[in-house]
Structure formats: structure tokens, C-alpha cells
């Protein structure tokens, strides 16, 4: 009897160890999408290799750098768009979670709107170019000899934070009228950080003394029908027309931060939910704008504030597993 019990326990232990050994981890590689403005992309993907903390400045993703990709079919592809002045690894917690769940994740560094270069802000092409950059990354991955044939084209999603939330909603079909930002800032007094960030560049005269409007002055429509579901985290959304939000047909998940002083929720995420009642929506209690980014190991000052700071009493590290579950469950619901 004792021998049989011992054998049973030993067998169970071996099964457990085998399960741990076969558990998926997040592999990590980088690629560059060529073009006039090359796009740096961080790829996270499922692998059986052992992951480790990999210091990257203020970030420390737990990944297996350069590891071979697992051979099981991918669950899908998820593109990640960071906020203004951000980086391709600022949401590594979400990327590694999705990779361990079986997704290929492509997090891009937006040329002209990242921590090193914000020249696109004053280019006059901001609202159109940001989504187009995501589409370029998708083009490259679908054409990739390694990844293209493995990506299930009916399971392509996107996650975006802040300006990235704008980006993924634009890809889902929302249309922007940049003048709406100026109208909003003339009419309200309680969205000051957005309004300071949203001041557009002055348009100078051309060679004949004429002043041309910025390229994005009228309505911007840049949908990518290949993207079948989107998650918008504290999105910059006041620029979207109500009718275009209402016309979105792909599933949308919106999460806003209760104590967001960068993009006040009632004007941005709330604007989306008010005109797209089919969207799944929730509020992160006590959270600030940067709660959806991984917790940096050092202060990260920006025009929108310190990305490493949290409101008093809010524990970002404790909150993020809940966020990861919400995002993972949303995509799983769409693609059962």
C-alpha cells in the first residue's frame, strides 16, 4: 500500500515536472521594417526555452532572447502601439503574457513619436501616419518567410495605450477630425495636460506667401480591415467623430484609468463608449494614466508627467496581472 502510494506520488511529481518543462515562455527578437522611416519592432513569441530577466534600460522583461519559436500553431498575432514618446518594450508585461498564451506579439517603436524622436508631432501627418506605421509592420510580418504562413489571418488584433489607443481605434475604423481637439480645448478647462500636448504646429507660408493647412487638417480615415479586434487603454479619443465610432464593427475593449490626469476619461475613453455601446468597457480603480505600462525601474519624465509615478495608494505591479488577464481573456473570447 505504502509502495503504491509512493509510486503514485512519484508519477504525479514527474508529470508536474514534465508540464513545467514544456510550459511556454516568451521568446524575444527584434526586426526592422525598412522604408523612408524604418520601424524598429520587438517580437515576443511562444518558446519552450528558458526565460530570464533581460535588462533594457528602465525595463526588465522576462524573455528568452533569440530562442527558437515553438512549433505549435500560433493563436494569433497581436500588434502593440505605445503612447506618445514611448518605446517598443514599455508594455513588455502584456507582450510576454500574450506570447506565453501562444500569440506572436509585435510591439513597434513609432518613428517620429518615441522617447528619442518626437518630430512627427509637428509634421502635420500625425493622425494618419501613426496607424499607417502599424499597417506597415503587419505587411512585413505577413510577407515574412518565417512568420507569414504561421499567422492565422482571421486572428489579428491590436492593443494601444494613450496615443496608441487612438492608433488602434483608427485602425478599427474610427475617423479623426484634428480640429475637434482644438474645439474641445476651447470649451473645457479640466483636460489641461491633453490640451497642452495637443497644441498643433503653426503652418507657415509657402513660397508664394500662402498658408497651407496641415495635411491632417480634415477628416483622417486609415482603417486596416485585417485587424479583427482591438484593446484601447486610456485612449486619446476626443478627436474621433461620433458617427465613425458608432460604425465600428470589430470587437473593442476600452479600459480607462480612474485617476487619469493626462487624458481625462470622460472626454476620451468615455467618448468612445458613449458612441460605441457595443464596446466592452471598464475602469481601473485608483489608477493613473501610466498604469497600463510596465513599471519602470527609474523615473521617466515626459511632457505628460513621470511615467514611473503612480497615484498615492495605487500599486501598479499588483494591478498588472489583472490587466493582463483582461486583455488575454478579451482576445480569447473573440477567437474561441
Amino acid at each position: 500500500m505504502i509502495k503504491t502510494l509512493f509510486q503514485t506520488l512519484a508519477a504525479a511529481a514527474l508529470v508536474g515536472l514534465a508540464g513545467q518543462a514544456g510550459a511556454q515562455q516568451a521568446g524575444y527578437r527584434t526586426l526592422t521594417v525598412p522604408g523612408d522611416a524604418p520601424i524598429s519592432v520587438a517580437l515576443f513569441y511562444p518558446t519552450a526555452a528558458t526565460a530570464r530577466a533581460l535588462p533594457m534600460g528602465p525595463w526588465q522583461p522576462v524573455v528568452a532572447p533569440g530562442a527558437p519559436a515553438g512549433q505549435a500553431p500560433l493563436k494569433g498575432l497581436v500588434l502593440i502601439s505605445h503612447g506618445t514618446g514611448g518605446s517598443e518594450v514599455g508594455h513588455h508585461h502584456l507582450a510576454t503574457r500574450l506570447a506565453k498564451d501562444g500569440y506572436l506579439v509585435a510591439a513597434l517603436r513609432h518613428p517620429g513619436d518615441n522617447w528619442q524622436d518626437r518630430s512627427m508631432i509637428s509634421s502635420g501627418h500625425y493622425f494618419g501616419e501613426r496607424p499607417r506605421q502599424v499597417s506597415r509592420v503587419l505587411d512585413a510580418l505577413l510577407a515574412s518567410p518565417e512568420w507569414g504562413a504561421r499567422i492565422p489571418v482571421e486572428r489579428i488584433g491590436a492593443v494601444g495605450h494613450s496615443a496608441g489607443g487612438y492608433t488602434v481605434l483608427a485602425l478599427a475604423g474610427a475617423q479623426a477630425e484634428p480640429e475637434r481637439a482644438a474645439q474641445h480645448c476651447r470649451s473645457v478647462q479640466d483636460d489641461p495636460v491633453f490640451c497642452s500636448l495637443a497644441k498643433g504646429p503653426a503652418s507657415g507660408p509657402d513660397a508664394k506667401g500662402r498658408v497651407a493647412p496641415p495635411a491632417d487638417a480634415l477628416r483622417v480615415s486609415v482603417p486596416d480591415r485585417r485587424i479583427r479586434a482591438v484593446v484601447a487603454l486610456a485612449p486619446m479619443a476626443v478627436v474621433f467623430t461620433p458617427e465613425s465610432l458608432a460604425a465600428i464593427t470589430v470587437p473593442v475593449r476600452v479600459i480607462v484609468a480612474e485617476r487619469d490626469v493626462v487624458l481625462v476619461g470622460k472626454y476620451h475613453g468615455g467618448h468612445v463608449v458613449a458612441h460605441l455601446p457595443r464596446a466592452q468597457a471598464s475602469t481601473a480603480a485608483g489608477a493613473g494614466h501610466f498604469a497600463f505600462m510596465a513599471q519602470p525601474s527609474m523615473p521617466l519624465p515626459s511632457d505628460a508627467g513621470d511615467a514611473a509615478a503612480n497615484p498615492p495608494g495605487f500599486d501598479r505591479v499588483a494591478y498588472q496581472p489583472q490587466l493582463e488577464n483582461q486583455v488575454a481573456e478579451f482576445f480569447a473570447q473573440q477567437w474561441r
Side-chain angles (χ1 to χ4, degrees), residues 9-35:
L9 292 172
L14 287 171
V15 170
L17 288 171
Q20 293 174 16
Q24 291 187 132
Q25 298 297 316
Y28 176 82
R29 300 181 203 166
T30 61
L31 66 83
T32 300
V33 177

Side-chain angles (χ1 to χ4, degrees), residues 31-326:
L31 66 83
T32 300
V33 177
D36 293 338
I39 304 174
S40 298
V41 184
L43 290 181
F44 302 80
Y45 52 89
T47 182
T50 301
R52 60 181 174 83
L54 186 65
M56 297 183 183
W59 316 110
Q60 200 168 49
V62 179
V63 292
Q71 294 305 304
L74 293 170
K75 283 188 178 180
L77 165 65
V78 177
L79 300 139
I80 296 182
S81 172
H82 62 70
T84 188
S87 84
E88 67 274 31
V89 290
H91 297 277
H92 65 76
H93 59 302
L94 283 173
T96 54
R97 165 60 189 273
L98 291 168
K100 289 190 285 187
D101 279 359
Y103 294 92
L104 171 63
V105 180
L108 68 151
R109 180 190 301 183
H110 282 279
D113 187 19
N114 58 69
W115 67 281
Q116 293 178 308
D117 174 14
R118 298 190 63 203
S119 58
M120 188 166 61
I121 302 292
S122 58
S123 70
H125 299 278
Y126 187 82
F127 291 101
E129 185 59 21
R130 243 184 169 270
R132 291 189 192 100
Q133 291 170 350
V134 178
S135 292
R136 285 176 55 199
V137 173
L138 179 53
D139 291 342
L141 288 170
L142 292 175
S144 163
E146 178 176 9
W147 298 109
R150 297 191 61 188
I151 296 170
V153 294
E154 73 284 0
R155 296 184 175 192
I156 298 173
V159 177
H161 172 229
S162 193
Y166 161 81
T167 300
V168 301
L169 287 165
L171 291 165
Q175 298 177 354
E177 289 179 345
E179 175 59 23
R180 291 177 62 87
Q183 293 171 354
H184 168 70
C185 293
R186 286 194 295 267
S187 64
V188 306
Q189 302 297 319
D190 55 345
D191 201 10
V193 178
F194 166 74
C195 290
S196 68
L197 293 170
K199 291 177 180 177
S203 297
D206 64 14
K208 296 183 178 180
R210 299 172 301 188
V211 176
D216 280 349
L218 303 178
R219 183 170 295 196
V220 177
S221 181
V222 283
D224 191 324
R225 302 304 179 192
R226 298 170 296 182
I227 294 174
R228 307 295 181 87
V230 302
V231 176
L233 306 171
M236 187 273 286
V238 74
V239 295
F240 289 126
T241 66
E243 63 271 21
S244 69
L245 288 168
I248 291 175
T249 58
V250 301
V252 173
R253 180 79 164 91
V254 179
I255 307 176
V256 298
E258 181 183 30
R259 299 169 69 180
D260 193 336
V261 297
V262 177
L263 295 172
V264 176
K266 64 183 178 181
Y267 298 128
H268 296 278
H271 176 60
V272 178
V273 176
H275 298 288
L276 181 58
R278 297 182 304 279
Q280 297 181 32
S282 62
T283 299
H289 183 72
F290 300 106
F292 307 110
M293 294 173 60
Q295 180 66 59
S297 61
M298 63 185 72
L300 288 182
S302 73
D303 292 344
D306 181 2
N310 298 293
F314 180 76
D315 187 334
R316 191 189 310 191
V317 174
Y319 161 69
Q320 288 189 332
Q322 176 185 337
L323 171 66
E324 294 159 20
N325 288 338
Q326 289 175 330

